[in-house]
Structures are given as C-alpha cells and as structure tokens.
Amino acid sequence: MRRITRIATAGIASAALALSVTACGSDSSSGSSSSDDNGGKAAIAYDIGGRGDQSFNDAAYAGLVKAEKELDVKGTEAEPSEGEGDPDKVQRLTSLARADNNPVIGVGFAYAPAVAEVAPKFKDTTFGIVDDTSKTGPNIANLVFNEEQGSYLAGVAAAKVTKSNTVGFIGGVETPLIKKFEAGFVQGVKDTNKNVNVKVQYLTQPPDFGGFSKPDLGKAAAQGQLDAGADVIYAAAGLAGAGAIEATAKAGKWAIGVDSDQYNQKGLAAYKERILTSVTKNVSGAVFNLIKSVQDGKPQQGEIRYGLEDDGVALAKSNPAFTSMTDVIAAVDKAKADIIAGTIQVKTAP
C-alpha cells in the first residue's frame, strides 16, 4: 500500500526532517502501486488526526485493507496537514485522481468543498465523501450514518451503569455532525433515567478543528468531568478521544469509545478493561462497498446511508464486563429494537 504523508508540524527535529523529504509534499511510499494491477487502484484521504487515531480514520483504513485483500486493489493513503485549508485538500484529491485512483474517498465532512470542486474535472472517477451530504454530483457518493441512533444506545448503557447519576459527553469540535452524537446520547440517558445529569463539553469551535487531533485536550476535559462527579464518559472526538479514555480509565471509571470498537484497538490496550463499549460506525464497510461498486462497474452515487437496521451503526459488545451486565444489555437491545421499529424517534440535534 502506498502512503502519501505531509508533515507540517512546527518544531520538528532537523534529524527527523532530514529523514522525511515529505515536508514539501513529496510522496513517500510504503509499498508499490502499479496501474497495471488487475484490481485497479483506490485511495483514501484522511481526516484530521490521520491514520493511527484508533477511531474514525483507522476504520476507513480497515476498509481499504479489506479491499486490497479481497478485490486485488492497490491502495493509496494520503495524510492531512495540520491547519490545512480547502486548497490543500483540492490539491490532494486532484493528485490522487490524476494517479488513476478510482474511487477517491475523502474521509470526513471537511472534504466536501474539495470534492465538489475536483469531481467535475474527473467525470470518470468516483469520489466518496464520508459524513457529508451537502455536496452532490453524478460521480459523488455520500457515505453517511445515523450516529444519533448508536449514541442513543450508549446513553441507555451509561444511564444504567452510572452510580453517581452523573455522566459526561465530550465532543471534539462543535459541528452539526458531532451534535448528532450529543443529541442521541443525551436522549438515551434521559429516556432511561431522567434524574441522571449529563455534562456536555466541546473541545474547540470551528474553524479550529484541533479538538479532533489533540489527546491532551480530551484528557483535560475528561478530568474536569471526573472531578465534577461523572463516572461514565462518552467522547466523540477522534484522536482527542484517546486522551479522554486514558483519563477515565486511570480514574477507574467507565469510558465509551466511538467510531471503531476501541476495546480492540491496540493503541488503547492499556485502558481496554475500562472501555465499557463503543458506538461503532461501519466506515470500513462503507469504504469497502464503494470500492467494490466501482470494481463491479456499478459505482455508488448519491446518499448511501447506514443505520442500526443494517449494523451501519452499533454498540460494541467486546468487553466481557459489559456483556455480563444482563440488565444493561437487555435495555440496550430493547432500545435498538424500538428504534428500528420506529417506536423511538432519535433526535439529530440537541
């Protein structure tokens, strides 16, 4: 797999800089990528935090890896730069399309303006946007999820598990997407036990998207909520969420992960026993399905939505401590069934 990296962090050591000529945007490859491969080529451009966030971006990467193994696709990954703007994303997507990658997938709503600009110039290439429906076109696939549904189930679990009657929600950046996580979680808590207090905090406000990439911010926010009595904390904050999990686990309280099943993430192994569950989004499946559709000659386009009914969102049950809580599991399963049946309508905004 070919990986394009961009290093834009201030204060980088000169020795490290000398080892990486990618500081000016040159390509760095961890594998070969030939246009002659039978399975074709596909690319993903990562969101803030990049691969290794143990969450959103890593889920997309898993989908690309699956496509490489099962579809004989040669994958290319492209990393974001710190503090970059739309022109940087336009350049990245353009380069990936010119290299005959098809599809080219922007991982995250921040890629929407860039996809809208680049897609019309490459009409034979399918472009995917994860988590956005604002930009559409004949060769654009909008891969979106009912995050509020999975978050509702997390709220049910949190309300059943808390002993202090105080739980916390940490959002990386206050955007409409992350407000969906908040809305579902708070509703799930309150529908289960109206007496439980939900503390809500966002790490940054747009246009500052550092709340998705800085673990220290998540750690500090979680510590503040712990100090205020929270004993269950749900963070929807990308890489910053890892800091929240660390602080919560070290305090011996329950953390709820997001996007990937964070109980099984190697980078969080030291804290896994305190990761009660995770609200998962099948980003890996969405990425794989889009790549497969292109390979099959029937590329997806328009809104492709994933929800509870097709396990596009779910509540992970990897932690044995969680599955042993039979009353909690029963409440979660009932809520899931009610949402699918339409008995429970989950809000998409607080």
Side-chain angles (χ1 to χ4, degrees):
M1 182 180 295
R2 188 166 179 256
R3 193 175 191 194
I4 301 170
T5 59
R6 294 171 183 269
I7 298 175
T9 303
I12 231 167
S14 59
L17 187 60
L19 289 172
S20 178
V21 297
T22 62
C24 296
S26 302
D27 292 356
S28 174
S29 174
S30 60
S32 62
S33 181
S34 169
S35 60
D36 295 329
D37 292 299
N38 293 332
K41 300 164 66 177
I44 55 176
Y46 290 122
D47 199 1
I48 297 167
R51 174 144 68 90
D53 67 350
Q54 314 296 326
S55 184
F56 184 59
N57 290 298
D58 283 1
Y61 171 67
L64 184 62
V65 170
K66 182 180 179 182
E68 285 194 312
K69 292 179 179 178
E70 298 185 15
L71 305 177
D72 196 27
V73 165
K74 289 298 179 181
T76 295
E77 311 162 69
E79 293 280 1
S81 302
E82 185 176 338
E84 70 180 21
D86 287 338
D88 300 288
K89 293 181 175 64
V90 168
Q91 181 182 21
R92 183 174 306 122
L93 297 182
T94 299
S95 297
L96 293 173
R98 283 177 176 166
D100 296 324
N101 290 289
N102 188 18
V104 174
I105 304 172
V107 184
F109 60 83
Y111 277 97
V115 168
E117 180 173 338
V118 177
K121 301 175 183 177
F122 297 89
K123 295 180 180 180
D124 294 330
T125 300
T126 294
F127 289 82
I129 316 173
V130 181
D131 285 346
D132 184 87
T133 58
S134 69
K135 307 298 182 182
T136 60
N139 59 331
I140 296 175
N142 306 89
L143 311 177
V144 290
F145 302 82
N146 293 332
E147 295 91 354
E148 72 282 358
Q149 295 179 345
S151 296
Y152 184 99
L153 301 185
V156 172
K160 297 287 287 184
V161 168
T162 181
K163 291 181 172 24
S164 66
N165 272 4
T166 301
V167 301
F169 173 82
I170 297 172
V173 183
E174 193 167 0
T175 64
L177 173 66
I178 305 304
K179 299 290 272 186
K180 288 175 66 181
F181 287 89
E182 177 198 343
F185 182 68
V186 173
Q187 185 182 347
V189 170
K190 293 298 184 179
D191 283 357
T192 305
N193 185 347
K194 64 181 181 180
N195 295 318
V196 174
N197 179 35
V198 185
K199 295 190 172 297
V200 175
Q201 181 174 349
Y202 285 87
L203 302 180
T204 62
Q205 299 288 326
D208 180 0
F209 288 88
F212 288 136
S213 62
K214 299 178 180 178
D216 285 351
L217 291 180
K219 186 176 181 179
Q223 191 58 58
Q225 292 187 345
L226 292 164
D227 291 344
D231 60 357
V232 185
I233 296 178
Y234 172 37
L239 185 59
I245 289 173
E246 177 186 353
T248 306
K250 286 183 175 179
K253 307 302 181 182
W254 288 117
I256 296 177
V258 77
D259 291 339
S260 297
D261 184 353
Q262 296 194 297
Y263 178 85
N264 288 323
Q265 291 292 320
K266 292 181 180 179
L268 297 171
Y271 316 115
K272 64 186 298 183
E273 299 306 323
R274 300 307 305 179
I275 300 176
L276 181 70
T277 181
S278 297
V279 176
T280 60
K281 289 170 56 173
N282 193 15
V283 177
S284 61
V287 167
F288 176 84
N289 290 342
L290 180 57
I291 295 172
K292 187 176 188 302
S293 76
V294 173
Q295 299 306 303
D296 290 345
K298 298 178 181 178
Q300 293 177 333
Q301 66 176 89
E303 180 178 309
I304 313 297
R305 181 168 293 278
Y306 296 87
L308 278 181
E309 70 282 356
D310 56 9
D311 294 321
V313 295
L315 199 64
K317 296 180 178 178
S318 299
N319 191 338
F322 181 51
T323 55
S324 69
M325 301 174 183
T326 54
D327 61 326
V328 179
I329 296 297
V332 167
D333 289 345
K334 183 180 185 305
K336 177 181 177 179
D338 287 344
I339 292 171
I340 293 174
T343 306
I344 294 175
Q345 297 290 329
V346 186
K347 300 175 183 178
T348 57

